[in-house]
């Protein structure tokens, strides 16, 4: 008994444990601060942004307003610097040269797969995109790009018009308001499913497909980038949804094959007819994975771009008038059917979408992970060590007055007036490079890169523009619109793409 009592009294009390833990934390924080201020530094490496909290680093400032944070760092450290975020070291390379360095980095030096696959493999499934060897992924990109062709686009335009008309039938009142991001999220999933995913998925949207999509989407949040796998219900549901989605696609493919149903103008059909270079037909699970990747590549990006465009237009009645006049002048009237061909003539409309993508790029930064011992940014001589993330930030470059006059102003005319320095900049000579899915089409040195550049460049740009332009062109025929609030909302950076901060309501009035 005496021994037991001595043991109990010699054990540290709970308050002592808390005290020790607190003191250890303080020592750790102080040590980290002293180390940042006075510790040894490798002069060849980029300057490191100071942070008060070890491990978390600058995550909070970055999370609240990354553009502001990076602009502040740029003023202090220049175009190249490293910041710490939740245990990761991110080296930011700003400006046209920074873009070129990150986007043109060789495959054996830095890798997008190493940066993204921990998150994407659970949503897209295995052996596709970043979970496939890079050469196979490039083949997969080629299949998808081939399926997004002019012949299909011709059929897509009336389908999109049809979906928009049908969607807004639910707006029964002569006038009312709607939340821009939520509304276009719901509309784009209908248009993209109809054009790309196939009629079967479109038909299933009212039921189980929407739930599967939702569960997968919960696996595509910023937290998943930091913690790819946690024992939480959202992670479990994500894994189940990925499996069920693959089974669903497999059953659709089998039915189409069995019934010889092969006249569909959708991407699913194109992938079913593709074959790898070595002659292997594309397995059903690869097709399913690519379809999920396309859905995620295009869904939030297109929804937020449409929302921002309509919000910017709602604040500018002069532009809406000009857009209607453009349709009357180029197409004859506001009743002429929209087509793939006549949409190309609506240059002001195109420039409105382009200007939205400049000011509100849905993906404002793109990452690669250094896999070589180090990479050297020749322009400044900085060496970036293995394990660091390289980060190009078109979202900062696109509002930099070095390249754009009055950069914070929404001015679609800048794309035809050619006053901005960006039009006289010397571009790199890498726009014609073909990594295996056709010429990339834009130099990685361009300061305007909302679709990225180089081997990871977006292949959905043409479809993206087509979809957004068709929706806006149709909507301005149907409605007069105004902002409900006083000004265009601020950006909200807390999700994977940059969305308008709530409330982001648009007031509509049916025309005629
Ligand atoms: C890649 C943006 C629509 C499919 C990218 C990248 C960006 C981007 C910035 C490069 C990512 C990186 O370098 O890390 C956008 C925007 C869109 C859009 C702003 C619409 C406004 C679409 C659509 C599709 C799509 C509609 C599918 C039909 C892809 C694919 C990649 C990609 C497959 C390749 C990823 C890689 O090679 O690593 N997109 N995208 N995107 N996007 Fe898009």
């Amino acid at each position: 008994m005496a021994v037991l009592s001595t043991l109990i009294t010699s054990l540290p009390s709970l308050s002592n444990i808390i005290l020790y833990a607190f003191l250890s934390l303080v020592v750790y924080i102080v040590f980290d601060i002293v180390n940042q201020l006075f510790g040894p530094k490798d002069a060849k490496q980029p300057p490191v942004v100071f942070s008060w909290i070890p491990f978390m680093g600058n995550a909070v400032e970055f999370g609240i307003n990354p553009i502001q944070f990076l602009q502040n760092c740029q003023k202090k450290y220049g175009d190249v610097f490293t910041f710490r975020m939740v245990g990761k070291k991110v080296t930011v390379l700003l400006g046209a040269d920074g873009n070129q360095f990150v986007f043109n980095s060789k495959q054996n030096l830095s890798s997008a797969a190493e940066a993204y696959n921990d998150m994407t493999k659970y949503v897209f499934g295995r052996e596709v995109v970043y979970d496939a060897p890079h050469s196979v992924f490039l083949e997969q990109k080629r299949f998808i790009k081939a399926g997004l062709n002019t012949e299909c686009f011709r059929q897509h335009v009336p389908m999109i018009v049809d979906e928009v008309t049908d969607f807004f039938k639910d707006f029964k009142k002569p006038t009312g308001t709607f939340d821009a991001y939520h509304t276009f999220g719901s509309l784009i999933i209908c248009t993209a499913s109809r054009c790309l995913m196939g009629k079967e998925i479109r038909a299933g949207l009212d039921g189980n497909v929407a739930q599967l999509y939702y569960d997968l989407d919960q696996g595509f949040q910023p937290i998943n980038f930091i913690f790819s796998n946690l024992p939480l219900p959202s992670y479990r549901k994500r894994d189940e949804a990925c499996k069920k989605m693959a089974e669903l696609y497999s059953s659709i493919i089998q039915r189409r094959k069995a019934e010889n149903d092969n006249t569909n103008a959708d991407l699913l059909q194109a992938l079913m007819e593709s074959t790898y270079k070595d002659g292997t037909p594309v397995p059903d699970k690869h097709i399913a994975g690519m379809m999920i990747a396309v859905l995620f590549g295009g869904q939030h990006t297109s929804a937020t771009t449409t929302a921002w465009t309509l919000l910017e237009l709602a604040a500018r009645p002069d532009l809406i008038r000009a857009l209607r006049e453009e349709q009357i002048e180029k197409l004859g009237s506001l009743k002429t059917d929209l087509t793939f061909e006549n949409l190309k003539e609506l240059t002001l409309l195109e420039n409105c979408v382009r200007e939205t993508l400049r000011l509100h790029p849905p993906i404002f930064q793109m990452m690669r992970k250094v896999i070589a011992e180090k990479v050297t940014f020749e322009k400044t001589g900085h060496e970036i060590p293995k394990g660091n993330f390289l980060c190009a930030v078109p979202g900062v470059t696109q509002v930099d007055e070095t390249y754009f006059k009055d950069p914070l102003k929404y001015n679609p005319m800048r794309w035809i007036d050619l006053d901005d320095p960006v039009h006289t900049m010397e571009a790199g000579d890498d726009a014609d490079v073909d990594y295996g899915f056709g010429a990339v089409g834009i130099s990685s040195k361009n300061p305007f890169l909302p679709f990225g550049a180089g081997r990871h460049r977006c292949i959905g740009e043409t479809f993206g523009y087509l979809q957004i332009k068709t929706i806006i062109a149709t909507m301005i025929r149907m409605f007069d619109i105004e902002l409900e609030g006083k000004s265009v909302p601020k950006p909200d950076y807390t999700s994977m793409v940059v969305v308008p901060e709530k409330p982001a309501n648009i007031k509509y009035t049916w025309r005629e």
Side-chain angles (χ1 to χ4, degrees), residues 103 112 116 129-130 137 141 144 148 196 267 293-295 297-299 301-302 305 357 361-363 365-368 449-453 455-461 463-465 467-468:
F103 291 122
Y116 301 141
V129 189
Y130 306 118
F137 174 39
K141 277 183 87 166
I144 300 170
L148 298 169
L196 306 178
L267 192 57
V294 162
L295 183 67
Q299 171 62 25
T301 46
S302 304
T305 307
L357 286 164
I363 305 178
Q365 56 161 1
M366 290 143 230
M367 300 268 201
R368 308 287 180 259
L449 291 176
F451 294 94
R455 63 181 70 245
H456 291 285
R457 170 142 167 80
C458 183
I459 41 172
E461 176 175 359
F463 178 77
Y465 265 104
Q467 178 170 241
I468 298 165

Side-chain angles (χ1 to χ4, degrees), residues 212-454:
L212 291 181
Y213 177 70
Y214 177 82
D215 289 344
L216 279 174
D217 200 32
Q218 294 311 298
F220 214 72
Q221 304 296 326
I223 186 168
N224 301 89
F225 183 68
I226 298 162
F227 305 109
S228 57
N229 232 346
L230 290 175
L232 293 176
S234 64
Y235 286 76
R236 190 176 38 74
K237 285 186 187 166
R238 168 200 68 184
D239 297 343
E240 278 166 16
C242 178
K243 199 162 149 265
K244 283 189 186 149
M245 201 71 148
E247 285 164 4
L248 178 64
Y249 270 112
S250 193
S251 68
I252 296 170
I253 294 166
Q254 295 311 323
R255 188 205 54 78
R256 283 193 182 188
K257 281 183 185 162
E259 294 174 15
N260 238 351
D261 177 5
N262 53 15
T263 54
N264 305 284
D266 53 47
L267 192 57
L268 178 61
Q269 195 64 41
L271 294 183
M272 284 171 61
E273 289 161 16
S274 307
T275 312
Y276 284 118
K277 271 187 198 143
D278 64 3
T280 329
V282 183
D284 291 0
K285 70 171 187 174
H286 289 194
I287 299 180
M290 283 186 260
M291 295 304 294
I292 301 173
V294 162
L295 183 67
F296 277 87
Q299 171 62 25
H300 294 302
T301 46
S302 304
T304 187
T305 307
T306 315
W308 280 116
T309 307
L310 214 72
L311 286 161
E312 290 286 359
L313 293 178
R316 291 282 302 273
D318 59 317
L319 277 177
I320 300 202
R321 269 196 305 278
L323 286 170
R324 287 199 191 113
E325 277 158 21
E326 177 176 68
Q327 288 199 30
I328 294 168
E329 189 195 322
K330 304 270 178 62
L331 314 186
S333 91
L334 289 175
K335 293 199 179 345
T336 309
D337 285 344
L338 296 173
T339 64
F340 173 64
E341 267 72 28
N342 69 18
L343 273 171
K344 281 192 219 156
E345 293 176 43
L346 304 179
T347 44
L348 175 61
L349 177 61
E350 171 117 0
N351 288 332
C352 286
V353 180
R354 179 166 292 129
E355 184 65 347
T356 303
L357 286 164
R358 184 188 69 79
L359 213 48
H360 309 286
I363 305 178
F364 68 91
Q365 56 161 1
M366 290 143 230
M367 300 268 201
R368 308 287 180 259
K369 194 168 182 182
V370 179
I371 51 171
E373 271 322 301
K374 62 173 187 221
V375 291
T376 307
F377 183 45
E378 299 294 348
K379 189 182 173 195
T380 58
H382 284 119
E383 291 177 355
I384 303 145
K386 187 174 183 170
N388 274 33
F389 286 80
L390 302 178
C391 180
V393 198
V396 168
T397 321
Q398 290 174 189
V399 291
D400 186 334
E401 52 192 15
T402 316
Y403 310 108
F404 297 96
K405 216 169 89 181
D406 212 352
L408 296 181
K409 190 171 168 200
Y410 184 78
N411 175 19
M413 302 305 171
R414 73 172 76 244
W415 298 102
I416 36 174
D417 291 346
L418 310 185
D419 264 358
D420 292 58
V422 70
H423 296 297
T424 49
M425 249 195 70
E426 208 182 303
D429 54 5
D430 54 348
D432 297 331
V433 178
D434 180 353
Y435 290 95
F437 55 91
V440 279
I442 194 161
S443 164
S444 57
K445 208 174 171 183
N446 199 312
F448 176 68
L449 291 176
F451 294 94

Side-chain angles (χ1 to χ4, degrees), residues 46-47 49 62 66-83 90-103 364-366 377 379-380 382 384 389-400 402-403 425 444-449:
V49 179
F62 183 81
I67 302 293
Q68 186 72 63
F69 167 73
L70 295 173
Q71 285 171 330
N72 291 345
C73 292
Q74 186 180 28
K75 277 190 202 121
K76 202 163 169 191
Y77 304 99
D79 280 347
V80 189
F81 51 87
T82 299
F83 73 94
V90 181
T91 299
V92 178
L93 296 114
L94 296 172
D97 293 309
N99 281 350
Q100 188 177 40
F101 179 73
V102 177
F103 291 122
F364 68 91
Q365 56 161 1
M366 290 143 230
F377 183 45
K379 189 182 173 195
T380 58
H382 284 119
I384 303 145
F389 286 80
L390 302 178
C391 180
V393 198
V396 168
T397 321
Q398 290 174 189
V399 291
D400 186 334
T402 316
Y403 310 108
M425 249 195 70
S444 57
K445 208 174 171 183
N446 199 312
F448 176 68
L449 291 176

